Amino acid sequence: DLRWAACDGRWKLVTTADPLRSTVSRELFDLSTDESEAVDVSAQHPAEVERLAKELARWQLLPRLPSLPDDDR
């Protein structure tokens, strides 16, 4: 599975994709009341899921900087 996360203030969105099954799931956690990320509140806050999913998609489209070589000094 492939996993990505986006955080903004109290909210954390975790997106999990399973390429073999062609499925994507999203879980939303309220870190202000659930630091252990045990309770998915995505059904209660669909607007936050949509907002953070858009931010995550926008971030994934940004160009990546090349990796720097390891410094073996």
Side-chain angles (χ1 to χ4, degrees):
D1 291 355
L2 304 171
R3 294 174 57 105
W4 299 272
C7 297
D8 184 22
R10 66 189 266 195
W11 303 111
K12 180 177 181 180
L13 179 71
V14 177
T15 301
T16 304
D18 183 343
L20 297 177
R21 293 190 181 108
S22 298
T23 60
V24 174
S25 65
R26 292 189 176 112
E27 297 173 289
L28 182 70
F29 301 102
D30 183 348
L31 299 178
S32 69
T33 59
D34 180 22
E35 291 180 11
S36 63
E37 302 173 18
V39 180
D40 176 11
V41 295
S42 59
Q44 293 85 1
H45 301 281
E48 291 299 331
V49 172
E50 186 66 25
R51 181 180 70 80
L52 288 171
K54 285 180 181 177
E55 288 297 319
L56 185 56
R58 186 181 349 232
W59 174 82
Q60 289 172 321
L61 292 174
L62 290 175
R64 301 287 183 261
L65 294 174
S67 297
L68 297 175
D70 289 337
D71 187 359
D72 293 333
R73 287 187 243 171

